[in-house]
Amino acid sequence: MSPAFRTMDVEPRTKGILLEPFVHQVGGHSCVLRFNETTLCKPLVPREHQFYETLPAEMRKFTPQYKGVVSVCFEEDEERNLCLIAYPLKGDHGTVDIVDNSDCEPKSKLLRWTNKKHHVLETEKSPKEWVRQHRKEEKMKSHKLEEEFEWLKKSEVLYYSVEKKGNISSQLKHYNPWSMKCHQQQLQRMKENAKHRNQYKFILLENLTSRYEVPCVLDLKMGTRQHGDDASEEKAANQIRKCQQSTSAVIGVRVCGMQVYQAGTGQLMFMNKYHGRKLSVQGFKEALFQFFHNGRCLRRELLGPVLKKLTELKAVLERQESYRFYSSSLLVIYDGKEWPDVALDSDAEDLEDLSEESADESAGAYAYKPLGTSSVDVRMIDFAHTTCRLYGEDSVVHEGQDAGYIFGLQSLIDIVTEISEESGE
């Protein structure tokens, strides 16, 4: 192992945790990784870290739970692949202990997914023949990967047929285009800096999708302004242009990403931010309708709980002084999994048989009812450009409410209400 791997600022003999791609990431540009079943991690941005450590108590129900900080490094596995491993920070013994690591892969099974997704990083001191063959394979794979990413970027709305039997989340490891793209870009950045730096701080956050069997996720970019106060003139101009050319300027919200399971066809639909920027207000409304539609019917029972949470969040933000949530997103999440409706006196064996058989039945064979109809989640995420007068060091101090974000929330409430009324609820 190279000297860089021995200089990590971690406690001796600390057990590391293998980080894997988070397969339900549908938007954003920062890579989100899976720490374990209930916890995710992402690169630490000081401003976002400060937000999570100081956010008002009444906002906590509308943000992921903050779980601490870890150190992330490159390490080698037995097959000479480089992988990302998380360790507690030196002197911070409690950081990783607050999460359950029981479902993490043992180190002997590191990074099987890298081999499947064309990502084997070159290591030093290998036999010449192995290196020659490895470089040849990597060159071919690199070209293939670049072509794939170009196709993914151009294909702004994608449909994938999934096997109805089996774990859909495991299938997403090979299907979710945005998660794959962000993950590859993050690894490339860290690979390029590996000779000079092999330690990065990541924050640990609640995995909001962990309680859903088939998470349907909508990522909405909120507000009429996206650039932070510290943005360069070029960056600010670019963000202003994106807002003006999208629904952000008109209604204060635009689609940044979407993943929805259409049970009627057995397909997963992905929509990326490039398509979201092109939508008109009517197109935005149609995208929202599509998000709540399962391929057979509109999931009307979800609209009321979503409206309730949006209204509660709006009231909370109206009470916040000085906060500006520039470039922040809002996630709406529900479970796309459905079960057949069965008699109340059915025994457990019958229910188990039906749950297996229903996956192969055509629409209409059973009377379906949604699973967990009230379990709709609405959360704010991404606070790298958030500012507040409490932060102290900011050169610009804002007063009053974040009117742009609240305007976007009201637009969202109005459109969901329209969908609900037009659907006959």
Side-chain angles (χ1 to χ4, degrees), residues 129-188:
E129 290 184 6
W130 184 88
V131 171
R132 190 179 300 112
Q133 178 64 25
H134 177 64
R135 285 177 176 170
K136 182 179 179 181
E137 292 175 357
E138 280 301 290
K139 188 174 182 180
M140 294 173 62
K141 290 175 180 176
S142 178
H143 287 307
K144 184 177 180 182
L145 189 61
E146 289 175 6
E147 292 174 0
E148 185 175 1
F149 280 166
E150 283 302 311
W151 177 77
L152 289 174
K153 187 173 180 179
K154 293 175 183 176
S155 303
E156 298 170 355
V157 180
L158 297 171
Y159 292 83
Y160 288 108
S161 295
V162 297
E163 297 178 14
K164 292 189 177 181
K165 284 190 175 181
N167 189 308
I168 290 181
S169 289
S170 65
Q171 296 180 55
L172 274 173
K173 287 184 180 180
H174 310 289
Y175 288 141
N176 187 318
W178 197 258
S179 171
M180 181 175 69
K181 178 178 180 179
C182 291
H183 185 257
Q184 291 287 347
Q185 290 175 339
Q186 178 69 26
L187 285 175
Q188 184 61 34

Side-chain angles (χ1 to χ4, degrees), residues 93-156:
H93 299 281
T95 301
V96 180
D97 293 339
I98 62 176
V99 293
D100 177 16
N101 302 331
S102 60
D103 67 332
C104 294
E105 291 286 342
K107 201 169 182 179
S108 62
K109 298 175 68 176
L110 293 184
L111 267 187
R112 300 304 175 203
W113 46 268
T114 54
N115 294 330
K116 294 177 181 177
K117 296 311 298 180
H118 346 295
H119 192 81
V120 182
L121 299 181
E122 191 174 321
T123 59
E124 301 174 357
K125 298 180 181 179
S126 301
K128 290 183 179 179
E129 290 184 6
W130 184 88
V131 171
R132 190 179 300 112
Q133 178 64 25
H134 177 64
R135 285 177 176 170
K136 182 179 179 181
E137 292 175 357
E138 280 301 290
K139 188 174 182 180
M140 294 173 62
K141 290 175 180 176
S142 178
H143 287 307
K144 184 177 180 182
L145 189 61
E146 289 175 6
E147 292 174 0
E148 185 175 1
F149 280 166
E150 283 302 311
W151 177 77
L152 289 174
K153 187 173 180 179
K154 293 175 183 176
S155 303
E156 298 170 355

